[in-house]
Structures are given as C-alpha cells and as structure tokens.
Amino acid sequence: MKEKVVLAYSGGLDTTTIIPWLKEKFDYEVVCCCIDCGQGNELDGLDERARLSGASKLYIEDVVDDFCDNYIIPCVQANAVYEHKYLLGTSMARPAIAKRLVEIARKEGASAICHGATGKGNDQIRFELSIKALAPDLKVIAPWRMTDIWTIQSREDEIEYCKQHGIDLPFDHSHSYSRDRNLWHISHEGLELEDPSSEPNFEHMLVLCNTPEKAPDEGEYVTMTFEKGIPTSVNGEKMKVSDIIRKLNELGGKHGIGIVDIVENRVVGMKSRGIYETPGGTILMEAHQQLEELVLDRATMETKKDMGNKMAQIVYEGKWFTPLREAVQAFVESTQQYVTGEVKFKLYKGNITKAGTTSPYSLYSESLASFTTGDLYDHHDASGFITLFGLPLTVRAMRMAEAKKNQNQS
C-alpha cells in the first residue's frame, strides 16, 4: 500500500497543483482535508475539484464552533491584539486547522501532512509548530520551501503543470489580492499594498465592509450581554458565539467598522503590509473591553494588559499548543468571573460609541465618583496619601539639592 499524506486543501490553485505534484514526486496517496472555519462559499465544488486533481478522498471538516469557542473567545477575553491593530484572525485559525489535520492523519494512518504556506510567511510556522506539539512523529511537507523539486514560480506555471497532468480546471491567469477568510475576518495582501506609500483600492478590495463613506447616514444602536466574559446575546436575542459573530459581522460591515491597514512585523523577520476586515470581531472586542472597564480593579487591569500583549505574541508566533499559552489563558479566565453585564453602543461610519454599560458586579460608585464623594471618602485623607505616595520624589529632590550644594561649596 502507498503511504498517505494529508493535504491541507483550500481548493485554490496552489493546493490543487500540489495534489499531482505529491503523487509524482513522492508516490503518495493524497487525502485532502478542507477545514471549514467559516470561509462561506469558498467551499463550493471542492469535492469534484479534489477528485479531478487526483485526490483519493476529501474531508470537509466544520470546526466553526470549535474555532469560536476555544480559540476566538480566549483571545477576546485576553484582549489579544498584535501590534495594537491586528485581531489575529489568521493566527487563531491555524492551530484549530492543524489540530484537525492531525486527527484526520491519525484516522487515515497517514505518515505526513502537507501545507501550501510559503517560505516567507507566518503560516508555515503556525502549522508546523502545532503539528510538532501534537504529532511529532508525522513528517511535514512544505512544497514552496522545497525549491530543488518544486520548480513552479507563478500562477501561469501552476496552470500549465495542472494541464500537463490532465487537470483542466477554471483557473485564470489574473493576479488578485492574496486573501485569507474565516468567520472572524478576511485579510488582503499583494498588488498596491506591497507599496506602503500607495493608498488602498478599497473599491476593488473590500468583501465584508462598506467604507465609512458609504456607510448609512443614520447610526444604529446595538445591545450585547456577557456572562463571565462570553457574549450571550445581541439586541435581546440569545445566540451561540458563532451566530453572534455572524450577526456582528453583518452590523459592522454595514457601518464600515473594523477596516485596518497595518505594516506588521512577521515572525520570519520582514515587514509586510495587509488590510484586515474584522467588523464583528472589532465590535466584540470593544464591547468586552467596555464591560471590563466597569468590573475589573486597577491592578488587575494593568497586569491583564501585559498578559493580553503576551497572548497576542504567543498566538501570532504559532505557539498555541504550549504551556505558556495555557498559563496565560488560565490567568485571563480567572479575571473573567465577574465580567457579566450589558453593553450598549452606537455604530456610525466606522465608529463605535458608548451608549451605556451595566453590570451587577460594577465597581463604579456614583457617590464616590461625584464631587460630593459620600461617607467613604474624606478629602483630608488625600493629603497624607499624596505625602507618602510622593515620598520617593521628595527624598530624591532633597538629596539632589544637597549634592548640588556640596558640589558648589567644593
């Protein structure tokens, strides 16, 4: 029997070309596996395409709820944002995909997993670190790094290679943006974005969002509820997390929310520019933060900010299946015990404006915050507090003055 390889299959030109290449170069039986993280109609017609390309089998695995509940929500709770802007849409999905690829490889008795990520990007790291952590015995095949036997250099080369192997599918030669889509976001790279001095061509690019200029002239109020840091409803309708994200995508896209243009630092050392559309994710992250402002104490918020940055770095670098991620997530989850309440906001032309937040665990005291302050706060207490809080500054100023006096006398 031939050895089996499980191919992470998207149905695009790259991974379709890899099917006959794996058979020709390694004599593998190719089992394709498309992991559905919410790509939508990109999954249409994949079964026929995979079989026509020489695959023995195609799995289409729906992991949308797993992706939302076990990858997205921990990052939302942590407020994990990479380099202040990127909400980790691709980064969070890769370990979820890799985990299912390993499960299929075990089920099929495969000896290898193949992915179509390039040798210049982050995804190769995310896929392969996850596979190493979950199944270190499996071989990993990355054609785009195997330049001695992978001689294909362009879309035209790929189309020609497919035709030579009897695969005549409706791929064209046109070059468009390089995109990655799932339920959380869609990313765009390439074309004019490769020049940081160029303005993005949003008219041809955007998929999920209106531009703010084309958003409605009337704002829209939205109410969300959370229980222990997990969203539970939108506008009074209780829904599971995946449906909440779908609803927020619809609302956010309509109002031009969540369009980010960033030059980011890839793990491999280079800078790259991308446009991310994350309409629902941007709303969800903002609503969660608004509730945390009301519930978390100052010291916890300060530490949680550091842990959020650490979580973002861990996820971006593909280190999901590590003790460090588990430890950071455990800290974050401990902070979410009282992140319960209702958040109301208005969406308007790319903006999310607060319209009221309530929680049974709110630490906000109107009597303390008002000018009258109430019985718990005596203005006179502030004098002693400032004296002690500023004592290091006072001592330093005195010592510096004394040193300067001695220096002048000498």
Side-chain angles (χ1 to χ4, degrees):
M1 293 178 63
K2 291 183 178 181
E3 285 189 78
K4 291 183 181 180
V5 60
V6 170
L7 170 64
Y9 186 63
S10 69
L13 179 56
D14 287 353
T15 53
T16 297
T17 305
I18 288 172
I19 296 173
W21 181 84
L22 286 168
K23 296 174 71 175
E24 178 183 28
K25 300 298 182 183
F26 298 95
D27 196 31
Y28 276 130
E29 177 185 341
V30 181
V31 176
C32 287
C33 189
C34 176
I35 312 298
D36 179 9
C37 292
Q39 294 93 305
N41 59 12
E42 292 181 11
L43 304 178
D44 295 346
L46 285 195
D47 189 62
E48 182 182 11
R49 178 171 294 182
R51 292 185 183 278
L52 286 173
S53 304
S56 65
K57 189 182 294 185
L58 170 68
Y59 287 87
I60 297 180
E61 298 289 296
D62 184 344
V63 300
V64 172
D65 286 329
D66 175 51
F67 175 44
C68 292
D69 297 340
N70 298 313
Y71 299 85
I72 289 176
I73 287 301
C75 290
V76 171
Q77 291 178 325
N79 188 32
V81 180
Y82 183 70
E83 295 188 340
H84 309 294
K85 290 184 177 181
Y86 173 42
L87 301 188
L88 300 171
T90 302
S91 310
M92 294 185 296
R94 293 316 188 219
I97 291 170
K99 184 172 184 288
R100 189 54 60 95
L101 290 174
V102 168
E103 292 168 356
I104 297 299
R106 295 300 194 209
K107 179 179 177 180
E108 288 288 331
S111 59
I113 292 176
C114 178
H115 65 77
T118 72
K120 297 175 73 174
N122 295 315
D123 281 343
Q124 57 181 338
I125 300 168
R126 296 165 183 155
F127 281 132
E128 294 182 37
L129 289 188
S130 296
I131 294 168
K132 286 178 184 296
L134 298 173
D137 57 300
L138 291 178
K139 291 182 288 187
V140 175
I141 300 173
W144 286 100
R145 297 204 305 259
M146 304 169 74
T147 54
D148 52 336
I149 54 175
W150 176 267
T151 57
I152 295 168
Q153 299 293 319
S154 65
R155 287 182 64 84
E156 290 78 10
D157 289 349
E158 289 179 315
I159 292 170
E160 182 59 32
Y161 183 86
C162 286
K163 287 182 177 179
Q164 289 173 4
H165 291 77
I167 304 166
D168 194 5
L169 292 168
F171 295 113
D172 61 39
H173 292 71
S174 65
H175 181 63
S176 62
Y177 297 102
S178 173
R179 291 185 166 108
D180 176 75
R181 182 175 184 174
N182 57 46
L183 188 66
W184 187 247
H185 86 156
I186 184 167
S187 64
H188 313 265
E189 294 179 343
L191 298 187
E192 78 276 3
L193 300 181
E194 293 183 349
D195 180 359
S197 68
S198 297
E199 181 180 4
N201 187 350
F202 287 127
E203 292 294 322
H204 292 87
M205 180 192 308
L206 297 180
V207 175
L208 301 176
C209 296
N210 285 322
T211 60
E213 293 87 349
K214 291 189 174 181
D217 292 330
E218 295 291 329
E220 183 170 359
Y221 285 96
V222 179
T223 301
M224 293 185 64
T225 58
F226 289 81
E227 292 180 14
K228 295 186 176 182
I230 299 173
T232 54
S233 73
V234 177
N235 292 335
E237 183 179 354
K238 286 193 172 295
M239 292 180 264
K240 62 182 180 178
V241 173
S242 58
D243 288 336
I244 286 174
I245 294 172
R246 290 185 181 97
K247 181 63 177 178
L248 295 179
N249 276 336
E250 175 190 333
L251 293 168
K254 173 183 174 183
H255 290 281
I257 306 294
I259 304 168
V260 167
D261 184 347
I262 181 176
V263 176
E264 69 194 59
N265 290 293
R266 287 183 178 173
V267 182
V268 292
M270 70 184 71
K271 289 184 180 290
S272 66
R273 185 190 185 193
I275 302 289
Y276 296 103
E277 296 178 71
T278 320
T282 300
I283 296 171
L284 179 52
M285 295 281 271
E286 174 64 23
H288 180 262
Q289 286 181 71
Q290 287 183 20
L291 188 55
E292 282 195 329
E293 287 178 9
L294 209 60
V295 171
L296 297 187
D297 64 275
R298 180 176 181 236
T300 300
M301 286 194 72
E302 286 180 353
T303 303
K304 188 172 178 291
K305 181 179 179 181
D306 293 337
M307 290 297 100
N309 289 334
K310 176 56 67 175
M311 184 74 161
Q313 182 182 4
I314 289 167
V315 177
Y316 189 83
E317 293 179 353
K319 297 176 180 177
W320 186 275
F321 298 107
T322 61
L324 179 56
R325 192 274 304 169
E326 293 173 0
V328 172
Q329 185 173 329
F331 167 81
V332 171
E333 287 177 352
S334 74
T335 70
Q336 300 300 294
Q337 183 177 359
Y338 300 111
V339 184
T340 294
E342 183 178 277
V343 182
K344 186 178 180 181
F345 46 87
K346 183 170 73 171
L347 307 178
Y348 178 68
K349 291 191 177 294
N351 295 293
I352 305 171
T353 307
K354 288 184 181 180
T357 309
T358 60
S359 169
Y361 305 108
S362 172
L363 299 182
Y364 182 89
S365 169
E366 187 174 349
S367 64
L368 277 175
S370 69
F371 284 106
T372 56
T373 68
D375 295 335
L376 286 177
Y377 193 94
D378 187 332
H379 288 277
H380 298 95
D381 293 339
S383 297
F385 168 75
I386 294 169
T387 298
L388 295 179
F389 196 62
L391 186 60
L393 301 177
T394 303
V395 171
R396 181 180 184 277
M398 292 172 63
R399 290 288 181 260
M400 293 295 289
E402 183 179 337
K404 186 175 182 180
K405 180 180 178 181
N406 293 337
Q407 186 179 22
N408 290 338
Q409 289 176 350
S410 62

